[in-house]
Amino acid sequence: MASSHSSSPVPQSNSSDAFFKKEVDATKRFRPVQSLPDVCPKEPTGNPSSLHDSPSLVVDQQRWTIYHSKVNLPAALNDPRLAKRESDFFTKTWGVDFVDTEVTPSFYLPQITKEHFALYQQEITPREKVHERCKNICTPKDTFDRTLLHTHDKSRTDLEQVPKIFMKPDFALEDSLTFNAVLPWSHFSTAGGKGNRDAASSKLLQEKLSHYLDIVEVNIAHQISLRSEAFFHAMTSQHELQDYLRKTSQAVKLLREKISKIDKVMCEGSLRVLRLSLTRNNCIKAYNKLKLMATVHQTQPTVQLLLSTSEYVGALDLIATTQEVLQQELQGIHSFRHLGSQLCELEKLIDKMMIAEFSTYARNDLNRPLEDDCQILEEERLVSLVFGLLKQRKLNFYEIYGDEMINTAKNIIKQCVVNTVSQIEEIDTEVVVKLADQMRMMNFPQWFDLLKNIFSKFTIFLKRVKATLNTIRSVVFLVLDKNQKTRDLEDTLQKNSAKESMVDSEVAYLTHEGMFISDAFGDGELPAGAADSASQRNTSPNSEPCSSDSVSEPECTTDSSSSKEHTSSSVTPGGVEMMIGEDMKLTDLELVRLANNIQELLYNASDICHDRSVKFLMARAKDGFLEKLNSNEFVTLSRLMEGFILDTEQICGRKSMSLRGALQSQANRFVNRFHEERKTKLSLLLDNERWKQAEVPAEFQDLVDSVSDGRISLPEKKPTATEERKPAEFLIVEGQKYATVGTVLLLIRIILEYCQCVDNIPSITTDMLTRLSDLLKYFNSRSCQLVLGAGALQVVGLKTITTKNLALSSRCLQLIVHYIPIIRAHFEARLQPKQFSMLRHFDHITKDYHDHIAEISAKLVAIMDSLFDKLLSKYEVKAPVPSACFRNICKQMAKMHEAIYDLLPEEQTQMLFLRINASYKLHLKRQLAHLNVVNDGGPLNGLVTSDVAFYTGNLQALKGLNNLDLNMAEIWEQKR
């Protein structure tokens, strides 16, 4: 019950545990019986000394008093709006929703628990025990009790006459059942002839109800008579109450007059100053708010102005700032309720505009005339676009640039072909419509110039792409560096705040212990954090950044964007200065991934140029054009492509394999054709070779001399000098004479062509090595077939294979063997270490050639061996001396020497004749043993000695064999 709670004042004391604490004074322990208390607490009449006993409006403003009571209990009981009293007035007369209403607890009344009554119970328990003992001891007043009991029984008997239905709490005549029970309809029916009886019944019912009313009134009067003393006391107290009210009214009037004077003298001026100051502050806030609203109102025109100058970053920053202001400082402004959604739509529009603008920029940048100028196109515009795209997290913008690169690479080749074809008069563009067909009509010099032009354009194109992408990556790295610096700053601030909190706790401890900071720390020992915190504490808490007299307070009340967003100035590599805000919420992982993707885009640009070049190359190679190139043309083409590949690798920093693979494929085809041509040429030369000593032209001698000087290359032709010099009989190689055939001279030139091709095209080194090995093996095997195998008799038509042919073949093989180590060293210098195993081919070839030379030497010895066997088998020891057999042997030996002496070196000639002499001695010894001629000094021995002396003299008389040790004593059997 709200009114009952608020109507009874609760005494409060200064102590928190003094609720309902009784006095312990002995004089007040047994109080006399007093009259009922007044309905209103006592108020002093006018005595100033008793003023402190009553609640004061001035002194007791902050605590609850009786003046805070809204409705008291007597007012609730004497509610004039009720028609009559009811027994359960709490639920029947206090409104329809009284029971269901949840009463809010009073803020002025404390929460009373059982603990508050503990002290009271301790005091009252002994007194209650004393009371119980007294009640048992004292004799009750029987007369009073008997009278009271008799009266009570009589009243109870009278009330029992009244029906119980009238005593029910829910008695209501509105109820049809209750109404029928109190007033039956049977007493009011007028049907038939029962009118007189019904009238008597109604009258009887009325008398009965009147009797019930009399009984109730008598009982009420009786109850009133029992409480007459209280009523009289209440009437008597009414006069005192009026006196109290009059005195209270006077005291209130006097108090109000005093308060009014105090208000005028002491409070009115100060309150007016405070009111005006508050009004002024409110006006300033309203002015600043209106000014901020005016600024926000200009957001859209300002954004449009920034977009007209492509200031996307500024426009986005302005939109973000405005959104933050709308959410924090202008929240709830009705006129701006649609501005937030409009700004969001505008931000989406800016996203589309930036993407379209970046696409346009990429198209304009890549489609500029490809001159030598590699400057970045409108670097400030590019940096602004990249910052805006990063701010909006449009991290796939580089894909737009990649698509434009592909289109530009296609257009570069197309434009170069169109320009070149337009300058060639032999190509009729009206007849040949397709560019590919027009390009195939070019000869090699024209096509080579076109390819060279394309490569130069691609080089400039890649340099531009690299410059643009480097600028974009620098912007990404600036944002990444800004994020790192921001994290470092936050870590520093956290450390400083931790130090300051520690110093503050130390200062608080010292202050709590009653010490001054200067006592705890020396003058120079005060930490910096403590000094800063002390200076902040010394600052007045009411101090404002701007003077209160100044009207220009918008400078003081900054918006949230200027107070929360810090910007830092950064300079791009091109010198463009940009302001990087902290609102770029990109993680380091995203930025690093974006930088890697941009670098990968540069690699893709190189791959695109190489792929387009490969397609251009394949389009020209469809009709076998590249395979028909001679070695000089292919070498020129290969050098051009290698140079372009190296340039792209230097620009982009990574190797692209497509063009290199195409070059390798064409090089393999070139190597096959090159080898087949040389092998076919060598085969034709061998098939037509008559194995006679050929004259050595001067150009071949110069070629050999250049190889001796360490230059393995074909010398430049000198027509005038060659015409003056005559061919030489021998080829001079490092001081040695080599008698050769024409095929071997050409073979040496072919070998040097292989070596020079490897120098010009390093990528075909391994293929050339295997092809050259095959060529040398072919020469060895074919020459063996033609000379040793006597194949030249059928192929060329020689009558016989002479010793001169054999010696000449051996000397040619020796010349090739001389150059094999030089060729091996040349290839070894150009192979990778893991490819050195291929050099074993030269070891095998050298062994094969030495075996071939040995076979030729053995063949020469075999020829003489068969001759010795034929002649010495018919030898007879008889006069004359020298015999005819020995004359024929010496004659054949002289012919052999004449045939090979000019072809083979002197050492080889001596070695050959030593082997022939050994064969001669073997056959002679066998024949002498057959003839039983022994070294006994007899006549037969003398004849043999004369023939052997003739043989020895003739043999040593030959040129270069005079010092030859023949050791003819071995023809005689040794005696055992």
Side-chain angles (χ1 to χ4, degrees):
M1 193 167 64
S3 60
S4 64
H5 283 298
S6 61
S7 61
S8 58
V10 178
Q12 298 179 358
S13 65
N14 294 332
S15 178
S16 60
D17 57 350
F19 295 104
F20 304 102
K21 191 171 183 180
K22 289 183 174 292
E23 295 290 338
V24 198
D25 190 5
T27 58
K28 298 182 180 180
R29 184 178 300 274
F30 301 101
R31 294 188 180 93
V33 180
Q34 297 179 357
S35 61
L36 293 175
D38 296 334
V39 294
C40 206
K42 293 184 179 181
E43 191 73 16
T45 55
N47 188 8
S49 62
S50 62
L51 217 93
H52 63 278
D53 295 333
S54 61
S56 175
L57 291 175
V58 179
V59 178
D60 302 328
Q61 290 183 7
Q62 303 300 326
R63 68 186 185 88
W64 188 90
T65 63
I66 58 174
Y67 299 115
H68 292 86
S69 177
K70 302 302 179 183
V71 180
N72 52 14
L73 185 59
L77 295 175
N78 297 320
D79 191 354
R81 294 173 296 178
L82 297 179
K84 64 177 181 177
R85 295 285 180 264
E86 294 188 15
S87 60
D88 193 4
F89 62 92
F90 294 106
T91 58
K92 293 298 182 179
T93 61
W94 281 20
V96 181
D97 300 327
F98 174 78
V99 177
D100 298 332
T101 303
E102 182 179 356
V103 180
T104 306
S106 175
F107 296 104
Y108 304 102
L109 295 179
Q111 295 292 333
I112 304 301
T113 61
K114 291 183 178 181
E115 285 74 8
H116 291 90
F117 297 95
L119 183 60
Y120 173 75
Q121 289 179 352
Q122 293 176 2
E123 294 178 356
I124 205 66
T125 301
R127 298 160 67 180
E128 183 182 4
K129 293 180 179 179
V130 172
H131 174 71
E132 291 295 333
R133 287 199 304 268
C134 293
K135 187 169 65 172
N136 295 331
I137 295 173
C138 296
T139 305
K141 298 179 180 181
D142 297 338
T143 308
F144 176 76
D145 293 340
R146 203 178 298 112
T147 305
L148 219 72
L149 182 60
H150 176 72
T151 306
H152 177 70
D153 292 340
K154 183 179 179 181
S155 300
R156 184 175 180 181
T157 304
D158 294 339
L159 287 175
E160 285 179 354
Q161 298 178 9
V162 180
K164 301 297 182 180
I165 191 171
F166 293 102
M167 303 300 179
K168 290 183 178 181
D170 56 348
F171 177 79
L173 290 177
E174 291 84 355
D175 188 5
S176 59
L177 296 177
T178 304
F179 186 83
N180 291 331
V182 175
L183 300 175
W185 286 105
S186 59
H187 296 283
F188 301 99
S189 177
T190 57
K194 300 179 182 180
N196 296 328
R197 190 179 61 183
D198 291 339
S201 298
S202 299
K203 186 175 180 181
L204 180 61
L205 178 61
Q206 184 177 3
E207 290 178 355
K208 188 185 294 185
L209 292 177
S210 298
H211 178 64
Y212 295 157
L213 179 60
D214 293 339
I215 292 173
V216 172
E217 287 179 352
V218 169
N219 278 277
I220 290 175
H222 177 68
Q223 293 296 329
I224 291 174
S225 65
L226 293 177
R227 291 167 177 79
S228 58
E229 184 180 357
F231 280 105
F232 287 117
H233 181 71
M235 295 300 296
T236 306
S237 299
Q238 189 71 20
H239 298 287
E240 295 180 2
L241 180 61
Q242 294 296 329
D243 188 22
Y244 284 146
L245 289 176
R246 185 174 59 257
K247 292 178 180 180
T248 301
S249 177
Q250 293 176 359
V252 169
K253 183 177 179 181
L254 180 62
L255 181 60
R256 287 180 175 176
E257 290 177 357
K258 292 180 180 180
I259 291 175
S260 178
K261 292 179 181 180
I262 293 173
D263 181 43
K264 289 181 181 179
V265 175
M266 299 180 64
C267 302
E268 186 174 353
S270 301
L271 292 175
R272 186 170 178 272
V273 170
L274 293 176
R275 190 182 305 110
L276 291 176
S277 176
L278 182 60
T279 304
R280 176 181 177 276
N281 291 335
N282 291 336
C283 291
I284 290 175
K285 291 180 181 178
Y287 170 75
N288 291 334
K289 192 71 69 175
L290 290 174
K291 190 174 181 181
L292 183 61
M293 291 174 63
T295 304
V296 171
H297 185 66
Q298 295 297 322
T299 298
Q300 289 178 319
T302 307
V303 169
Q304 297 293 340
L305 181 62
L306 291 173
L307 293 179
S308 64
T309 58
S310 300
E311 290 290 339
Y312 298 105
V313 178
L316 291 172
D317 288 338
L318 181 58
I319 290 175
T321 303
T322 306
Q323 291 278 27
E324 188 175 0
V325 171
L326 287 175
Q327 293 176 3
Q328 294 183 0
E329 301 187 17
L330 297 181
Q331 189 175 9
I333 302 298
H334 186 71
S335 58
F336 289 150
R337 63 187 183 279
H338 300 303
L339 183 58
S341 59
Q342 293 173 358
L343 292 178
C344 291
E345 294 297 328
L346 190 59
E347 189 173 0
K348 294 179 182 178
L349 177 62
I350 292 176
D351 291 347
K352 296 180 181 178
M353 290 177 63
M354 284 193 300
I355 293 175
E357 184 74 12
F358 185 79
S359 178
T360 304
Y361 174 85
R363 192 178 304 110
N364 296 336
D365 178 47
L366 296 176
N367 292 327
R368 286 184 291 165
L370 292 171
E371 306 297 337
D372 293 335
D373 183 19
C374 296
Q375 296 294 329
I376 301 175
L377 178 66
E378 299 179 9
E379 184 176 3
E380 294 184 0
R381 176 186 174 193
L382 174 62
V383 172
S384 176
L385 281 172
V386 173
F387 270 114
L389 292 169
L390 291 179
K391 186 179 180 66
Q392 295 302 104
R393 300 180 64 85
K394 303 296 181 181
L395 303 182
N396 58 344
F397 63 91
Y398 62 90
E399 297 177 358
I400 300 174
Y401 200 83
D403 297 338
E404 290 297 332
M405 287 193 309
I406 297 175
N407 296 331
T408 304
K410 294 179 181 178
N411 295 333
I412 287 174
I413 294 181
K414 183 177 180 181
Q415 191 63 36
C416 289
V417 172
V418 170
N419 293 340
T420 304
V421 168
S422 63
Q423 297 175 1
I424 300 176
E425 298 179 356
E426 292 82 2
I427 300 177
D428 190 357
T429 56
E430 296 181 357
V431 177
V432 183
V433 180
K434 294 183 178 180
L435 284 177
D437 297 336
Q438 296 173 0
M439 179 189 65
R440 293 189 187 98
M441 297 179 66
M442 300 179 187
N443 55 29
F444 178 76
Q446 294 171 345
W447 182 82
F448 182 79
D449 293 338
L450 173 59
L451 182 62
K452 187 176 181 180
N453 186 26
I454 290 174
F455 284 166
S456 64
K457 299 292 185 184
F458 274 155
T459 303
I460 299 173
F461 167 74
L462 288 177
K463 289 180 180 179
R464 286 185 179 176
V465 170
K466 181 179 180 181
T468 303
L469 295 181
N470 283 343
T471 302
I472 297 175
R473 289 183 79 234
S474 65
V475 173
V476 175
F477 284 132
L478 284 176
V479 177
L480 184 62
D481 184 61
K482 174 61 181 176
N483 289 349
Q484 184 65 34
K485 289 181 179 179
T486 303
R487 285 197 303 272
D488 295 342
L489 181 61
E490 290 176 354
D491 295 340
T492 305
L493 291 177
Q494 289 179 358
K495 293 180 180 178
N496 292 338
S497 62
K499 291 180 180 179
E500 289 180 2
S501 63
M502 181 177 66
V503 172
D504 288 341
S505 63
E506 293 178 358
V507 172
Y509 172 75
L510 295 174
T511 306
H512 177 71
E513 293 295 329
M515 298 175 62
F516 293 101
I517 298 178
S518 59
D519 297 335
F521 300 99
D523 294 337
E525 297 177 357
L526 185 63
D532 295 339
S533 60
S535 62
Q536 292 176 3
R537 285 191 292 269
N538 293 333
T539 306
S540 175
N542 296 327
S543 60
E544 296 179 358
C546 296
S547 175
S548 59
D549 297 333
S550 174
V551 183
S552 60
E553 205 159 318
E555 289 83 357
C556 303
T557 58
T558 57
D559 58 338
S560 61
S561 62
S562 61
S563 62
K564 293 184 179 180
E565 179 179 344
H566 302 280
T567 58
S568 63
S569 177
S570 300
V571 181
T572 61
V576 181
E577 184 175 356
M578 292 297 296
M579 302 299 292
I580 305 176
E582 289 185 350
D583 55 348
M584 288 193 180
K585 302 302 181 183
L586 294 173
T587 63
D588 292 350
L589 181 61
E590 291 175 334
L591 293 172
V592 171
R593 187 184 296 116
L594 178 59
N596 293 335
N597 290 336
I598 294 173
Q599 183 63 34
E600 191 67 27
L601 189 62
L602 180 60
Y603 301 152
N604 293 340
S606 176
D607 294 340
I608 289 170
C609 294
H610 282 229
D611 293 341
R612 302 311 304 179
S613 301
V614 168
K615 289 184 179 180
F616 176 78
L617 201 65
M618 293 297 104
R620 188 66 182 92
K622 281 186 177 180
D623 54 354
F625 172 76
L626 299 180
E627 298 178 4
K628 297 176 183 177
L629 298 179
N630 57 39
S631 60
N632 293 330
E633 291 175 342
F634 188 82
V635 167
T636 306
L637 175 62
S638 175
R639 287 179 176 175
L640 177 63
M641 295 174 67
E642 285 286 349
F644 175 69
I645 291 172
L646 293 176
D647 290 340
T648 55
E649 289 178 1
Q650 184 178 4
I651 294 172
C652 301
R654 191 179 73 171
K655 294 182 179 181
S656 296
M657 303 307 298
S658 58
L659 185 58
R660 194 183 297 274
L663 177 60
Q664 186 66 38
S665 175
Q666 292 298 325
N668 293 335
R669 296 178 184 176
F670 168 76
V671 168
N672 292 332
R673 182 182 58 80
F674 180 87
H675 177 65
E676 292 299 328
E677 288 180 356
R678 268 64 181 173
K679 190 173 181 180
T680 303
K681 182 178 180 180
L682 180 61
S683 177
L684 293 175
L685 290 174
L686 288 173
D687 290 342
N688 294 314
E689 182 59 56
R690 302 188 66 83
W691 297 102
K692 292 183 178 181
Q693 183 178 359
E695 294 181 344
V696 180
E699 60 175 335
F700 285 97
Q701 185 62 52
D702 294 338
L703 185 64
V704 170
D705 293 340
S706 66
V707 174
S708 301
D709 295 338
R711 298 188 304 273
I712 304 179
S713 61
L714 297 175
E716 297 179 358
K717 294 182 178 181
K718 298 179 180 178
T720 56
T722 306
E723 290 178 0
E724 293 178 357
R725 299 170 60 186
K726 294 182 180 180
E729 186 177 0
F730 295 96
L731 183 67
I732 309 300
V733 180
E734 297 181 0
Q736 292 189 12
K737 292 182 179 180
Y738 286 89
T740 63
V741 296
T743 301
V744 174
L745 294 176
L746 293 175
L747 177 60
I748 293 174
R749 184 180 181 88
I750 289 172
I751 291 173
L752 294 181
E753 287 178 355
Y754 275 82
C755 294
Q756 186 175 11
C757 193
V758 168
D759 289 338
N760 296 330
I761 313 174
S763 60
I764 61 174
T765 302
T766 55
D767 291 336
M768 278 296 184
L769 190 150
T770 54
R771 300 301 194 282
L772 181 58
S773 301
D774 180 67
L775 186 71
L776 293 176
K777 290 178 181 179
Y778 176 78
F779 173 76
N780 184 39
S781 60
R782 186 59 179 164
S783 62
C784 182
Q785 293 173 3
L786 292 174
V787 179
L788 282 178
L793 299 178
Q794 291 81 20
V795 176
V796 185
L798 295 179
K799 295 180 180 181
T800 183
I801 302 298
T802 63
T803 55
K804 192 169 186 177
N805 298 138
L806 291 172
L808 186 60
S809 173
S810 176
R811 194 56 175 164
C812 291
L813 292 173
Q814 293 173 21
L815 179 62
I816 301 301
V817 169
H818 173 78
Y819 282 107
I820 287 179
I822 300 175
I823 299 170
R824 176 194 172 100
H826 181 78
F827 276 90
E828 184 177 2
R830 286 151 184 81
L831 286 175
Q832 300 293 331
K834 61 183 179 180
Q835 299 173 339
F836 285 167
S837 60
M838 299 183 67
L839 297 175
R840 67 180 184 276
H841 294 297
F842 291 110
D843 299 333
H844 298 160
I845 293 171
T846 303
K847 182 178 180 301
D848 293 341
Y849 271 68
H850 282 300
D851 293 342
H852 190 183
I853 294 171
E855 289 178 3
I856 293 176
S857 299
K859 183 66 176 178
L860 291 173
V861 174
I863 291 173
M864 296 305 296
D865 184 78
S866 63
L867 179 64
F868 292 150
D869 184 40
K870 179 180 179 182
L871 293 177
L872 290 175
S873 64
K874 300 178 182 180
Y875 173 63
E876 295 180 356
V877 181
K878 63 180 181 178
V881 178
S883 64
C885 177
F886 273 79
R887 285 193 185 97
N888 288 333
I889 289 174
C890 290
K891 183 180 178 180
Q892 294 298 328
M893 293 285 280
K895 287 182 179 180
M896 169 70 76
H897 180 270
E898 182 182 1
I900 68 173
Y901 182 76
D902 293 334
L903 301 178
L904 297 178
E906 185 175 346
E907 295 80 5
Q908 293 184 18
T909 304
Q910 292 177 358
M911 292 300 297
L912 180 61
F913 273 89
L914 283 175
R915 293 179 61 186
I916 294 174
N917 180 58
S919 176
Y920 163 75
K921 289 189 292 183
L922 180 64
H923 285 283
L924 180 58
K925 182 178 181 180
R926 187 182 303 135
Q927 184 64 24
L928 291 176
H930 178 69
L931 296 176
N932 295 320
V933 179
V934 294
N935 187 13
D936 56 357
L940 294 177
N941 179 262
L943 292 175
V944 172
T945 302
S946 298
D947 286 338
V948 170
F950 175 77
Y951 165 78
T952 303
N954 279 279
L955 187 59
Q956 290 179 346
L958 295 176
K959 190 175 181 180
L961 302 180
N962 51 351
N963 296 325
L964 196 64
D965 184 12
L966 300 179
N967 193 11
M968 298 304 296
E970 294 180 355
I971 64 175
W972 305 106
E973 288 287 344
Q974 298 294 330
K975 293 181 179 181
R976 296 179 181 179

